[in-house]
Amino acid sequence: MSQQTSVLDAPGAVLEPPKREQATGLDRLVADVPLPSALIGLLGVYLLGAASSFFTAEGSDVPLWWPATGLSVALLLLTSLRRQWLLALGVALASGLASYTEGHTEQWALGFGLSSGLEAYLVAWLVMRGRSERPSLRTMEALWRFLSAAVAGSVAAAVVVAVTAVSVGAPPTSTAAPLVASHLAAILLVTPLVMRLGPFIAEERFLEAVLEWTLLLGSVTYIFSPGQALGLSFLPLPLLLWASLRFGVRTVSYQLLTIGVITTVLTAAGGGPFAAGAADGGTSAVVTASLVHAFLIVTALIALPLAVAVDQRRHALTRVSANEELFHKSFTESFVGMLLLSLSRKGLRIRELNETAAEILGGTVEDLLDQPLEPYLDTRTSWKDVTRRIGSGDLTGWREELWLARDPGRRVAFAMSPMSTAGEEAMFSAQLMDVTEVHEATSRLTTEKDFTEAVLSTTAALIVVVDVDGNIAGINPATERASGRTEAEVLEQPLWGTLAPNTDKRFLRELMERTRPGRETGRTPSVEGDLLTADGRLRRIVWSSAPLTNETGRRTHVVLTGIDVTDERNVRSMTNHLLDAATSTSFVGLDLMGTITIFNAGAQELLGYTADEVTGRMRLEDLHDPDELALVSVEHRTLPGFPTIIAGVESGPQTRDWTYVRKDGSRVACAVTMSEVHDAFGSVIGYLAVGRDVTEYQRSQKILVESLEKEREAVSQLREADRVRDEFVSMVSQELRTPITSMVGYVEMLRDGTAGPVSFEQARLLDTVRTNGDRLLALIDDLLTLSRIEQGSFTLQKTTVDLRMVVNRCQEAVHSMLDGRGLPVRFDAPDHPVLVIGDFPQLERVVVNLLSNAVKFTEDNGHVQCSLQVVDDRLAEVVVSDTGVGIPDDEKPMLFTRFFRGRLAQEFAVQGTGLGLSLVQSIVHSHDGEVSIRSSEDVGTEVRVVLPLVPARHRMDAALR
């Protein structure tokens, strides 16, 4: 036996599964049994089944044992789940053929074969369910699964055999009951040999094992030898217990199989206590077989659980011993300070520590043993509270960075966890690590990080960090604001195509390459490119770059810093464009002494000089009329040498008319605005003179003044004419009202028969006269009302008005318009009062006018609606809507113009004067309200009148009254 095997089998060795490459014997078998091995196994099943007569007591046909069942289950356990069913069919065929060979009928052989195949498959499936490797007997859980599967398989086989017995006319109980015990015994004794059982016997126990084997085989042979009738069947059990306690599951499994073979062979030969009455046959033979089965089953159930439990315990003890030795070695040799602490009434005390912990705490191991821990560590946390919470289970452990009490400059990391909280003294393990340098470095890094983050967050410059391949590693908030993208959106994305257009890839790549070692030029490289924003716009950026390197000096990242010059470039471009495009306006820039610095195209066009002729060479005063300069100098009392043209500019831009002298000597009148130019700090750095030729303007101004005077006289005449017209309309309306009213009255009298009977035709004509008279009176009333409103003589008799009453009166008035019409009109009003301050008749006139327009412009089968509602508890809203012809868009601006009649009104010959909406607007405005119209041609019109409600307090008083 190899040395390695001896180590594994030694007392206290770790009982790990053998490695596949080191396995021997049956452990070499893989998940699927090779075909030759499977065929040999099935042949063995057949031979053992056919030879069952050798295991039959004298005078009986009941086998004492059926080892073929154990071999069948073993074969299926050695193959994978997906092929077990195929091997189970082979077992059924071999078992049935063996039964037929023994002389049983075909029907019996078929049933027995099916029971054997089902039994083997069921046991293997239950044992291997959910597992891909061969099962073992190394844990109690695996043993109970194996025993349960063996019982279930035996019972299933017995059920099938019982059904078969009934079909052939045999008693089912006399056949099925012995089969359960026989097959269960076979499974328990044979099958464990193909399961992972653990190591063989250790070399140092070899002699003990030989002695135990000799005694066991001798006792079993003696007990079951022919002629021996003493009831000594219990004698092997102590020897099996000896094997279970000392040699493990593997030895016990071989011994159980050996006991099974000896017992069945000798009992079949008439030996042993169970064969006392077997020679007579009948019931005695069945009893013999049952006793043999029970003996084997009980023996297996006693020995196997004990052996498994002892192996499992030995494994656990070995692991504990190994872990304890490893812990002690790690404890003493650890580079981390290790302590074992005990908790007593006096607090935490040091029971054991290593050299590292003693060095950290500032003493020796001997000096620190049995000393309290608290005086050595400075913490604000209560040690008592920590140990109490760990002991109660609230904390699984505690860690904190602490200062050493006797060396305040040193920082240590302390971690404590429970080892045992039961008993008089709770035990804890603790670790100490000097983290002073780490703490100082972390503090510096934190400070630097905070400083860097503050700089990156507050700087207005754009900062983009990219790797050497151009992928974005980070951006600062200024870049996020400028690009409209968050850092998460662009991380690990290529710089070009994300924050920079693809057209700038070459420039940016060259900029990044300038940071490569060996290509430095002594100055920060920069390039002007574009920033691509989230909405697709471009902003002009001046990029500069700097490398980031690791500790070896290798470049890992490149920092791109950008300055947004978009606005500056836009302003410069706009300025240049304005200077070049303003050909009719001169822009002349001056320094503090009045020397020309800017001379645009407009100035060149105006004065005849080129920019090169005057820029930096002439003063603007050289281009002015000297006489005007002299007058202004006297007026503002300018100092000698001080530019006269900028006098008074310090108080703000100054505009005055100057006379410029052109290059050819001619003079031109210009309006010049002089203003100061400031830098970013508010200091004056120059002046700007903006001038334009006003020669024609002065001439046109003179003509315009004369024209305005004439227009003023014309307007005065028009106003007088308009006043006369209004007075005439008012006078004519008043003069017409009286006779027309009289005419309408007389017509009514004639219609009523006052002057005699009236024929039908006469009544019709009188009705026409009266209708036209009423229309004429309404027109006159509208004209008078509008005239009074414009003259300011229109007065309203305002009271508290319930708009519901107004709508109800209008509902009665509109009925006369609907005679002979197929046009429904709907009225909606709330249940509660809607109170406003207004003139009841005038408000009624507003609603009637709107309803009249809706009815006139809506064809039959259309729809007209008048609704009253309250909005926001502050406003009353009257809405008149229809499905009529609508109003064209081009006519909507003229709807409230007096006498305006639209194109559709003329096409459909709708009667009206064009005064209704103008009158409605005037009345609504006089009530502090608003009127609006929404209309679509061929769809309909909606007119909305909004009036202020009576305040809530007044509405409450009105309700109480």
Side-chain angles (χ1 to χ4, degrees), residues 751-807:
R751 181 65 177 81
D752 294 338
T754 304
V758 179
S759 65
F760 174 78
E761 185 63 24
Q762 290 172 341
R764 184 180 64 82
L765 294 176
L766 290 173
D767 288 340
T768 302
V769 173
R770 185 181 61 184
T771 301
N772 289 325
D774 290 339
R775 288 179 54 200
L776 190 57
L777 282 175
L779 173 60
I780 292 172
D781 286 342
D782 291 344
L783 287 172
L784 286 173
T785 301
L786 288 173
S787 176
R788 291 169 183 167
I789 291 174
E790 291 179 356
Q791 294 176 6
S793 60
F794 182 72
T795 58
L796 297 174
Q797 302 298 323
K798 292 185 177 181
T799 59
T800 300
V801 177
D802 187 353
L803 287 180
R804 295 185 305 165
M805 302 300 296
V806 174
V807 172

Side-chain angles (χ1 to χ4, degrees), residues 210-484:
V210 171
L211 177 62
E212 192 270 342
W213 270 96
T214 302
L215 294 176
L216 178 66
L217 294 178
S219 64
V220 173
T221 303
Y222 172 74
I223 292 169
F224 291 93
S225 62
Q228 173 58 252
L230 297 177
L232 301 175
S233 57
F234 61 86
L235 191 59
L237 295 181
L239 298 173
L240 282 174
L241 295 180
W242 181 4
S244 300
L245 293 173
R246 298 290 292 171
F247 308 128
V249 181
R250 186 180 296 275
T251 299
V252 170
S253 298
Y254 282 113
Q255 290 183 356
L256 287 175
L257 178 62
T258 304
I259 291 173
V261 173
I262 294 174
T263 301
T264 53
V265 170
L266 293 180
T267 302
F274 302 140
D280 300 334
T283 304
S284 298
V286 174
V287 171
T288 297
S290 300
L291 291 174
V292 171
H293 300 157
F295 172 76
L296 296 177
I297 292 172
V298 170
T299 302
L301 292 179
I302 291 176
L304 282 177
L306 180 60
V308 171
V310 171
D311 275 1
Q312 192 172 5
R313 181 174 179 274
R314 184 184 297 123
H315 185 196
L317 289 175
T318 302
R319 293 178 65 93
V320 170
S321 299
N323 292 338
E324 183 178 358
E325 182 179 356
L326 179 63
F327 172 77
H328 188 267
K329 185 176 181 181
S330 301
F331 184 90
T332 56
E333 299 179 3
S334 175
F335 290 105
V336 178
M338 305 290 292
L339 301 98
L340 291 180
L341 308 172
S342 65
L343 179 63
S344 63
R345 294 181 179 179
K346 296 181 179 180
L348 287 171
R349 305 189 75 83
I350 302 174
R351 292 305 184 194
E352 190 172 349
L353 76 164
N354 63 356
E355 292 288 347
T356 306
E359 181 181 354
I360 292 175
L361 294 177
T364 64
V365 174
E366 293 76 11
D367 294 338
L368 292 171
L369 283 176
D370 204 31
Q371 295 297 316
L373 178 66
E374 290 88 336
Y376 292 92
L377 298 175
D378 184 10
T379 177
R380 296 181 180 179
T381 305
S382 171
W383 293 99
K384 183 177 180 181
D385 182 61
V386 170
T387 54
R388 179 185 60 78
R389 293 182 63 188
I390 292 179
S392 63
D394 292 342
L395 288 178
T396 57
W398 178 66
R399 62 177 58 199
E400 188 175 324
E401 285 194 7
L402 311 170
W403 296 105
L404 288 179
R406 301 185 180 182
D407 189 357
R410 296 182 66 188
R411 185 84 166 173
V412 296
F414 179 82
M416 183 174 69
S417 57
M419 295 183 63
S420 173
T421 57
E424 295 182 359
E425 287 190 350
M427 297 296 296
F428 300 90
S429 65
Q431 295 85 38
L432 282 174
M433 182 178 293
D434 191 338
V435 294
T436 304
E437 295 182 359
V438 176
H439 177 74
E440 293 174 353
T442 303
S443 299
R444 290 194 300 270
L445 288 175
T446 302
T447 302
E448 293 176 2
K449 180 182 177 183
D450 294 341
F451 175 77
T452 302
E453 289 182 353
V455 171
L456 294 178
S457 299
T458 57
T459 182
L462 281 62
I463 299 178
V464 181
V465 181
V466 297
D467 59 21
V468 293
D469 296 323
N471 297 319
I472 300 171
I475 61 176
N476 71 330
T479 308
E480 291 182 338
R481 292 190 296 270
S483 66

Side-chain angles (χ1 to χ4, degrees), residues 16-48:
E16 295 291 346
K19 304 291 184 181
R20 185 174 298 276
E21 62 271 11
Q22 299 170 347
T24 60
L26 290 174
D27 285 336
R28 290 202 185 107
L29 292 175
V30 295
D32 289 324
V33 178
L35 181 60
S37 300
L39 293 178
I40 293 174
L42 293 176
L43 179 60
V45 172
Y46 168 74
L47 293 176
L48 289 175

Side-chain angles (χ1 to χ4, degrees), residues 82-98:
R82 59 189 179 87
R83 293 188 179 180
Q84 283 181 353
W85 66 272
L86 184 61
L87 198 56
L89 292 178
V91 169
L93 180 61
S95 299
L97 185 60

Side-chain angles (χ1 to χ4, degrees), residues 141-157:
E141 180 184 359
L143 176 63
W144 300 135
R145 186 186 307 111
F146 169 65
L147 295 177
S148 302
V151 172
S154 301
V155 172

Side-chain angles (χ1 to χ4, degrees), residues 4-206:
Q4 182 174 2
T5 305
S6 299
V7 172
L8 287 174
D9 294 335
V14 180
L15 301 181
E16 295 291 346
K19 304 291 184 181
R20 185 174 298 276
E21 62 271 11
Q22 299 170 347
T24 60
L26 290 174
D27 285 336
R28 290 202 185 107
L29 292 175
V30 295
D32 289 324
V33 178
L35 181 60
S37 300
L39 293 178
I40 293 174
L42 293 176
L43 179 60
V45 172
Y46 168 74
L47 293 176
L48 289 175
S52 62
S53 59
F54 293 103
F55 303 103
T56 305
E58 294 182 6
S60 173
D61 58 352
V62 179
L64 296 175
W65 195 29
W66 189 263
T69 300
L71 180 59
S72 301
V73 175
L75 284 175
L76 265 68
L77 288 178
L78 292 175
T79 191
S80 62
L81 289 173
R82 59 189 179 87
R83 293 188 179 180
Q84 283 181 353
W85 66 272
L86 184 61
L87 198 56
L89 292 178
V91 169
L93 180 61
S95 299
L97 185 60
S99 178
Y100 185 75
T101 302
E102 288 185 330
H104 293 96
T105 63
E106 296 178 354
Q107 187 175 358
W108 179 265
L110 177 63
F112 187 78
L114 291 176
S115 69
S116 299
L118 174 63
E119 178 183 26
Y121 182 81
L122 181 60
V123 174
W125 181 82
L126 289 175
V127 171
M128 297 182 64
R129 180 178 54 185
R131 293 163 180 82
S132 59
E133 60 179 8
R134 192 169 75 251
S136 69
L137 286 181
R138 291 176 178 166
T139 63
M140 293 302 295
E141 180 184 359
L143 176 63
W144 300 135
R145 186 186 307 111
F146 169 65
L147 295 177
S148 302
V151 172
S154 301
V155 172
V159 171
V160 176
V161 169
V163 172
T164 304
V166 171
S167 65
V168 298
T173 55
S174 62
T175 304
L179 184 140
V180 173
S182 174
H183 284 212
L184 181 59
I187 295 173
L188 294 180
L189 268 61
V190 176
T191 304
L193 294 178
V194 300
M195 306 176 78
R196 294 182 177 180
L197 302 175
F200 286 98
I201 304 171
E203 289 182 354
E204 61 268 20
R205 297 184 187 175
F206 180 75

Side-chain angles (χ1 to χ4, degrees), residues 869-912:
Q869 57 188 359
V870 175
V871 180
D872 296 336
D873 200 30
R874 297 183 302 103
L875 302 173
E877 188 177 73
V878 179
V879 180
V880 177
S881 60
D882 61 64
T883 58
V885 297
I887 302 170
D889 291 339
D890 58 339
E891 295 181 355
K892 290 179 182 178
M894 299 178 289
L895 290 178
F896 296 105
T897 304
R898 284 188 296 175
F899 301 107
F900 172 75
R901 285 175 54 78
R903 171 174 51 82
L904 296 179
Q906 298 175 15
E907 290 180 1
F908 289 97
V910 177
Q911 296 180 354

